[in-house]
Amino acid sequence: MERIEWVIDRCRLLQAIGAEFDETKPFAGLTIGTGIHLEPKTVALLLTLQRGGAELVSTGNLNTTQQEACDYLAACGVRIVGGPTSDPAEHDAHLWEVVRSHPDLLLDNGGDLFARFVEEPYDSLRGGTEETTSGRMRLEPLRDGIGLPVLVINDSPIKQFAENEHAVGQSVLESFLRLTNLSTNGKRVTVFGYGACGRGVAANFRNAHAVVSVVERDPVKRLQAMLDGFLVPDRDDALRTADVVVTVTGVDGVVTAADAPLLRPNAILANAGHFPWEIDAAGLAAAGATVLEDGHMVNLAGPRPLGNSVESMDIGFALQARCLEAVARGEVGAGACVVPVPRAIDEQVAASFVSSAA
Ligand SMILES: NC(=O)c1ccc[n+]([C@@H]2O[C@H](COP(=O)([O-])OP(=O)(O)OC[C@H]3O[C@@H](n4cnc5c(N)ncnc54)[C@H](O)[C@@H]3O)[C@@H](O)[C@H]2O)c1
């Protein structure tokens, strides 16, 4: 409880938006269905939306829900569906329960809610937001079925550099240290993916004195990794030499059981991508490899999971609050289906953070 309140107090942007929402009530009479990690920073976001007049029906993501966050939200009047689970079938039922309560707005993380809406559409949905890269990839082909404004927070340049690059890199390093109690000095670390998240993961391990290789299927980004000073061996060599392998691609089956013969005996694998399918954890474990947290998002797993820094999430969640406000007020039309955050919102949030830090 103290930890949750400490986090809420340090979400400066959300606090300021909450104070504004106390007066303006953009969500008065509306229900927001949410399917996002339930942990202290999301508590701060959901309570901000509640201050704007929203009723909330909320479930978490697979394997990342923190019971204390659920209890705190429930005590504040949020309807919590389910609780911590790593069982995909149980999680599926929770997601359906949120969608079948027919919220007016959806706050999605991974495309779970909008994908189900497309299967069982209803008239009162106004649209909503999607937080992640993985969700955007999943929802793009569903645009015709959605037909409503859906703003993708991930595709704000602010989210890209504030969270994906700087914060994911820091929290994946912190999680590796916390979960293994091993050093990074001189370790050979292979990072799969050199998007925003991969750039941060690679940089943070290098800053922690590891020798970092990058495997990237896009030749342009592979060149970028090389010019940033990383080794860019071919995939199999990068696996053969690695003490630590981190996947952060958003793509399934990046490292599979077929790769087990390539791995060093003590190699440790971890996934930081949204879904736990990047590493075939079961297949590799059967072959004797160590996969941290069964391949679930490593920076929101294990004992005392912290996730990304409070400041990075405050910025990203300020974008969330402003985007949901714009959809609720009808300021974006159906043409804005699975599109980036409007530039005016990026500018507003960026200016607020800079002035609040002054
Ligand atoms: N752990 C967290 O806290 C956190 C936070 C934000 C995003 N994410 C997730 O991290 C993942 C990556 O996000 P991003 O914003 O960096 O995405 P991105 O699309 O910018 O980058 C992914 C990169 O992976 C590369 N890639 C794809 N398949 C590959 C393969 N088999 N081998 C090597 N490279 C491959 C792509 O070419 C791309 O450059 C997504 O699943 C996203 O949802 C996690």
Side-chain angles (χ1 to χ4, degrees), residues 37 131-137 154 159-160 163-164 167-168 171-172 191-199 215-218 221 235 247-255 271-275 278 297-300 307-308 313:
H37 312 292
E131 175 77 6
T132 65
T133 318
S134 290
R136 187 241 300 130
M137 294 194 295
N154 183 75
K159 178 153 185 308
Q160 292 279 318
E163 183 189 331
N164 294 23
V168 173
S171 66
V172 169
V191 178
F192 277 79
Y194 203 65
C197 294
R199 284 199 302 279
V215 178
E216 169 56 63
R217 70 178 179 189
D218 174 349
K221 291 187 180 169
R235 178 189 181 283
T247 56
V248 63
T249 67
V251 171
D252 294 1
V254 175
V255 185
N271 169 49
H274 184 77
F275 289 111
E278 297 201 17
M297 201 186 273
V298 71
N299 57 339
L300 268 172
N308 296 325
M313 299 309 294

Side-chain angles (χ1 to χ4, degrees), residues 148 192 280:
L148 294 166
F192 277 79
D280 173 9

Side-chain angles (χ1 to χ4, degrees), residues 18-19 24 43 48 52 71 76 88 90 198 241 291 306 310 320 331 347:
T24 58
V43 171
T48 303
D71 295 344
C76 295
E90 198 182 332
T241 53
V291 184
L306 294 176
V310 175
Q320 271 283 5
E331 290 169 1
E347 290 180 0

Side-chain angles (χ1 to χ4, degrees), residues 95-267:
L95 292 164
W96 273 116
E97 192 174 333
V98 171
V99 173
R100 286 176 179 152
S101 72
H102 292 182
D104 303 289
L105 297 164
L106 294 177
L107 189 173
D108 210 352
N109 191 43
D112 291 327
L113 298 176
F114 279 107
R116 283 165 180 76
F117 166 78
V118 170
E119 282 184 51
E120 279 187 21
Y122 55 92
D123 287 341
S124 55
L125 186 68
R126 296 185 183 193
T129 54
E130 163 55 44
E131 175 77 6
T132 65
T133 318
S134 290
R136 187 241 300 130
M137 294 194 295
R138 189 172 174 195
L139 297 181
E140 274 168 345
L142 301 180
R143 277 193 182 108
D144 288 347
I146 298 172
L148 294 166
V150 179
L151 302 178
V152 180
I153 309 303
N154 183 75
D155 295 345
S156 156
I158 299 177
K159 178 153 185 308
Q160 292 279 318
F161 59 72
E163 183 189 331
N164 294 23
E165 183 158 353
H166 292 298
V168 173
Q170 282 181 344
S171 66
V172 169
L173 175 64
E174 182 276 333
S175 300
F176 173 81
L177 297 172
R178 172 172 45 84
L179 294 173
T180 66
N181 200 199
L182 296 173
S183 80
T184 50
N185 301 68
K187 290 248 173 8
R188 285 164 296 188
V189 176
T190 292
V191 178
F192 277 79
Y194 203 65
C197 294
R199 284 199 302 279
V201 171
N204 273 270
F205 275 92
R206 176 166 63 186
N207 291 346
H209 308 285
V211 180
V212 179
S213 300
V214 169
V215 178
E216 169 56 63
R217 70 178 179 189
D218 174 349
V220 176
K221 291 187 180 169
R222 194 179 321 133
L223 170 65
Q224 185 182 7
M226 185 183 164
L227 298 189
D228 287 343
F230 296 104
L231 302 169
V232 286
D234 74 33
R235 178 189 181 283
D236 286 3
D237 281 345
L239 284 173
R240 251 184 228 110
T241 53
D243 300 305
V244 179
V245 177
V246 181
T247 56
V248 63
T249 67
V251 171
D252 294 1
V254 175
V255 185
T256 69
D259 296 314
L262 296 174
L263 295 171
R264 291 164 63 84
N266 293 324

Side-chain angles (χ1 to χ4, degrees), residues 43-76:
V43 171
L45 170 62
L46 298 186
L47 295 183
T48 303
L49 302 176
Q50 193 182 49
R51 287 173 76 174
E55 293 286 325
L56 290 157
V57 184
S58 301
T59 196
N61 284 166
L62 201 58
N63 202 53
T64 59
T65 298
Q66 297 178 18
Q67 188 61 52
E68 314 78 64
C70 297
D71 295 344
Y72 194 97
L73 286 166
C76 295

